[in-house]
Amino acid sequence: MAEPYYVDEVAGRDDDSAVGTPTAPYQTLLFAMKMHPPESSSYLVKKASAADEAAEYKNVSDTALKKAKKIYEGWKRKQDKSSDLEIKAREEEMRRLAILEEAKKVVLDEDSSLPAAKRIRLDETEGVTLGTADKPGTRVKVLGRVHRSRTQKEVMFITLKDGYGQMQVVFGGQLIKTYAAMTLTLETSIEIKGQLRELPPKASAPLNRELHADYFRIIGAAAGDKEAITNKVQADGDNQTLLDQRHLVLRGDNASNVMKVRAAVLRAFRQAYLETRCLEVAPPSMVQTQVEGGATLFGFKYYDQEAYLTQSSQLYLETCLPSMGDVFCICPSFRAERSLTRRHLAEYMHIEAELDFITFDDLLSHLEHVICRVVDLILADPVTAAYVKDLNSKFQPPSRPFKRMKYADAIEWLNEHKIDFDDDELPEDDPQRKRPHRFGDDIAEAAERKMTDILNVPIFLTHFPAEIKAFYMSRDPADRRVTESVDVLMPNVGEIVGGSMRISDYDELMAAYKRVEIDATPYYWYTDQRKYGTSPHGGYGLGLERFLAWLCDRHTVRDCVLYPRFVNRCTP
Ligand code: 4AD
């Protein structure tokens, strides 16, 4: 056997500076073995326990050698395994690259002897017949993006989406041998031609059909690897990332289905208003008056003047009544809300209506009718109903009449249920901070939600004290402390509607401006309604995103708008 290798447990080094000679010894026997395998080497060790500086290098005892060898062999086995895996992975990669290289040579030509393909959207069923293995179906051309794909033996299944529907597409034969098919990434836009067929027994796919492709062409390949959409957005990704990548989140089923329900809800509201003879108008977004208090106004310079983004179109709607009859509008409202709650947006879609010559009771009946009619219209449309079912499988249309509860009774109800008022003006540890509710308290979001969730039905919460409501609300003739006002509360969300009868008397309105210290001058056009043939009238505003959060069971209104705007978020 050759020269032994030297191990000095005190002065040795287990790194590149050591070579195993007496002048450059290793520090541990295991390291010496890793460098010089025990099958062909011997070692001399100077023990750490040898206190004497002049201690000698000695042969390793049999037991110590056996023990070190055992550890060494374990390490060796692991090394071998990982280098085996590395080699295998490298070979696999080489094979894959070779196959891809080969695939580049496969050219897919459209077979001109096949019947011309009929262009259809993915949800179309009219004018197409489904074939079987022996009977040809309609040859169609579809355009869309790859939503999902999986390869099974010699077949590739693609779920294509085009915003109208989804279709299962089957690639076999030459098609899967092409470079494009082998490197297909999710979201790639693609044109596919082929024959529509019935599904094999027990299989399931949209509209119970699948497209057996005979030709395809990539229109725009989507990024893959690190940039692949599945890496950019993950269902359990953190909120900020998902918000930054909202444009990609919208490619998903849930997010886009909520948007489809949103469009259907807007159609349904318009239909319900058409049926109740309300006329659609479009008030301005840039205004010079406030409606719901100065704290949430977004101000901006309008040329050389001060102006705001509208908080509500209500005041303008009121001016339409005399000549246009009952009116409604669906326009964005803006609130510079500081609160980061799950039901507040800085920009939201406000559905507002104003009705002339009505009583407070008429207002409540109208509200109940419109909400129920919209739900009925949504559920009567099989496509939208399917989206709602998918998003909110437990959804039940509300039963009529809605529960009516006066504010004063709600205060009592909260106290009976030990739901305290939380005065967030006071420090967290102030013993006065939490106390039973009193008449005059603004019922906070958390308390309101608890009540709504326990009662678990839509509620008309009415007759709020004048002090906690907007200046324009008329008082209840039977109890002048309170207003003829209503909030509609829905389980899971809380308030989705705020409405009231409006002050119709000129002097009373002037007193109301004074009470809240609003300068009446810029409101001259609003005040004039009381000068030129006043009337008992009222209306309401409904937050579309809150309505959707209720209908589609979304945790937050941010999921119910295309690109949410809230504190510090204006991107993308
Ligand atoms: O209760 P609000 O403030 O009432 C008004 O603006 C009235 N002037 C409307 C009218 O009578 N024409 O708002 C009405 C509804 C709320 O119930 C809520 O659904 C929604 O608008 N809303 C918001 N939605 C999302 N984010 C916000 N920051 C919202 N503020 C109000």
Side-chain angles (χ1 to χ4, degrees):
M1 207 173 259
E3 273 289 291
Y5 292 100
Y6 290 78
V7 174
D8 182 337
E9 290 183 352
V10 176
R13 303 282 294 265
D14 281 351
D15 59 28
D16 285 352
S17 65
V19 287
T21 57
T23 48
Y26 297 118
Q27 191 186 15
T28 63
L29 182 56
L30 180 63
F31 191 81
M33 283 182 176
K34 286 180 183 174
M35 305 308 290
H36 313 282
E39 299 83 51
S40 54
S41 319
S42 65
Y43 317 92
L44 289 174
V45 177
K46 195 194 281 183
K47 301 292 288 176
S49 52
D52 181 358
E53 282 217 351
E56 290 293 313
Y57 280 105
K58 290 189 180 144
N59 277 325
V60 192
S61 73
D62 281 354
T63 6
L65 194 64
K66 218 166 144 190
K67 199 170 146 198
K69 260 189 184 168
K70 204 168 161 196
I71 302 174
Y72 163 79
E73 270 152 19
W75 170 82
K76 180 100 186 12
R77 269 196 303 278
K78 252 195 226 156
Q79 287 292 105
D80 293 349
K81 209 165 162 191
S82 70
S83 66
D84 269 4
L85 284 178
E86 249 170 55
I87 293 168
K88 269 197 197 129
R90 222 174 301 135
E91 284 172 359
E92 189 56 43
E93 181 60 9
M94 300 289 281
R95 249 197 308 276
R96 198 181 71 85
L97 290 176
I99 292 171
L100 283 180
E101 238 3 83
E102 233 8 69
K104 283 183 186 164
K105 295 181 197 150
V106 179
V107 180
L108 199 64
D109 284 322
E110 190 175 349
D111 182 347
S112 56
S113 69
L114 291 171
K118 173 184 161 72
R119 158 94 160 97
I120 61 163
R121 304 255 200 222
L122 299 181
D123 63 337
E124 275 178 51
T125 52
E126 245 168 69
V128 294
T129 49
L130 304 186
T132 58
D134 349 283
K135 183 184 78 162
T138 310
R139 186 165 184 262
V140 296
K141 168 173 132 179
V142 290
L143 292 149
R145 290 176 181 78
V146 179
H147 193 45
R148 281 188 284 272
S149 80
R150 72 191 152 90
T151 306
Q152 204 178 314
K153 292 184 191 147
E154 294 295 286
V155 184
M156 189 171 174
F157 291 96
I158 293 170
T159 305
L160 198 69
K161 64 167 181 200
D162 70 351
Y164 296 88
Q166 297 186 354
M167 181 179 277
Q168 174 152 294
V169 183
V170 186
F171 276 13
Q174 279 298 91
L175 274 68
I176 49 165
K177 299 201 176 96
T178 57
Y179 182 80
M182 284 182 185
T183 55
L184 195 64
T185 44
L186 298 188
E187 294 302 322
T188 290
S189 50
I190 188 170
E191 172 189 320
I192 306 175
K193 293 181 184 177
Q195 207 192 90
L196 276 176
R197 282 199 200 165
E198 285 172 10
L199 285 182
K202 290 195 186 145
S204 80
L207 299 173
N208 289 318
R209 62 186 186 181
E210 60 187 10
L211 178 63
H212 286 254
D214 55 55
Y215 174 78
F216 77 95
R217 179 174 69 87
I218 302 285
I219 294 167
D225 301 324
K226 271 191 202 146
E227 288 248 85
I229 188 160
T230 41
N231 284 327
K232 287 259 179 138
V233 286
Q234 284 153 353
D236 54 356
D238 79 282
N239 278 342
Q240 290 310 317
T241 309
L242 291 176
L243 284 163
D244 287 341
Q245 304 297 328
R246 179 77 181 153
H247 58 298
L248 296 180
V249 170
L250 287 170
R251 304 272 180 120
D253 287 336
N254 275 351
S256 55
N257 288 349
V258 173
M259 292 308 121
K260 288 173 187 172
V261 176
R262 182 181 163 112
V265 167
L266 286 172
R267 277 198 306 275
F269 267 102
R270 288 199 162 93
Q271 170 76 26
Y273 286 130
L274 183 73
E275 291 166 1
T276 47
R277 302 195 63 200
C278 274
L279 183 80
E280 181 163 10
V281 292
S285 294
M286 298 186 280
V287 299
Q288 292 187 309
T289 45
Q290 53 156 289
V291 191
E292 298 299 326
T296 60
L297 278 176
F298 272 115
F300 67 98
K301 262 267 156 300
Y302 183 78
Y303 303 99
D304 292 328
Q305 295 174 21
E306 187 80 9
Y308 316 111
L309 294 176
T310 185
Q311 293 174 309
S312 158
S313 297
Q314 175 201 321
L315 309 192
Y316 291 96
L317 291 186
E318 288 184 50
T319 67
C320 300
L321 295 178
S323 58
M324 293 165 226
D326 296 345
V327 284
F328 78 97
C329 69
I330 302 181
C331 298
S333 274
F334 303 87
R335 305 275 170 110
E337 303 276 3
R338 284 271 151 214
S339 39
L340 266 174
T341 78
R342 57 187 167 110
R343 67 180 201 191
H344 284 100
L345 292 166
E347 175 179 2
Y348 70 96
M349 194 54 83
H350 210 167
I351 302 178
E352 295 183 271
E354 202 61 32
L355 314 172
D356 206 6
F357 300 113
I358 55 161
T359 63
F360 184 48
D361 224 41
D362 295 335
L363 177 65
L364 299 187
S365 305
H366 163 95
L367 257 171
E368 196 174 271
H369 167 77
V370 169
I371 291 172
C372 292
R373 180 71 183 132
V374 167
V375 170
D376 287 348
L377 285 166
I378 290 294
L379 297 182
D381 173 345
V383 175
T384 318
Y387 291 139
V388 172
K389 183 141 186 50
D390 212 36
L391 294 160
N392 184 3
S393 59
K394 295 199 185 92
F395 182 77
Q396 288 293 333
S399 43
R400 296 173 70 169
F402 287 4
K403 183 178 179 60
R404 294 182 187 199
M405 194 181 202
K406 285 191 170 172
Y407 164 89
D409 298 330
I411 293 292
E412 228 169 81
W413 189 98
L414 289 168
N415 289 340
E416 276 164 17
H417 289 77
K418 308 268 175 279
I419 301 171
D420 273 348
F421 179 77
D422 182 0
D423 189 350
D424 58 11
E425 307 263 293
L426 296 174
E428 199 70 61
D429 53 356
D430 191 315
Q432 298 301 313
R433 183 168 164 147
K434 288 210 162 114
R435 56 158 174 81
H437 279 89
R438 296 182 204 129
F439 186 92
D441 286 341
D442 210 348
I443 301 173
E445 183 174 334
E448 179 192 280
R449 193 192 303 270
K450 272 187 202 153
M451 183 174 87
T452 326
D453 289 351
I454 294 172
L455 294 171
N456 202 27
V457 284
I459 305 163
F460 278 149
L461 190 58
T462 63
H463 298 92
F464 290 85
E467 285 65 37
I468 59 168
K469 282 293 181 186
F471 74 93
Y472 53 74
M473 294 189 178
S474 65
R475 298 199 185 227
D476 177 8
D479 178 356
R480 303 279 304 166
R481 291 177 311 157
V482 297
T483 49
E484 286 186 312
S485 52
V486 57
D487 278 3
V488 181
L489 312 182
M490 287 301 187
N492 228 357
V493 184
E495 181 202 328
I496 66 160
V497 173
S500 77
M501 293 300 286
R502 323 302 190 188
I503 294 175
S504 55
D505 179 73
Y506 178 88
D507 294 329
E508 204 179 326
L509 181 61
M510 297 312 279
Y513 289 133
K514 213 167 182 178
R515 173 173 70 83
V516 294
E517 295 173 359
I518 287 181
D519 172 12
T521 322
Y523 290 79
Y524 71 94
W525 51 275
Y526 181 66
T527 314
D528 267 1
Q529 305 311 309
R530 282 82 190 155
K531 267 206 223 166
Y532 295 87
T534 195
S535 63
H537 65 284
Y540 58 89
L542 175 146
L544 173 63
E545 292 79 9
R546 292 195 188 175
F547 184 89
L548 285 166
W550 166 66
L551 179 66
C552 300
D553 190 26
R554 295 299 95 185
H555 175 70
T556 159
V557 289
R558 295 176 193 171
D559 290 343
C560 301
V561 55
L562 209 53
Y563 287 98
R565 298 289 180 251
F566 54 94
V567 192
N568 296 334
R569 161 85 40 194
C570 207
T571 318

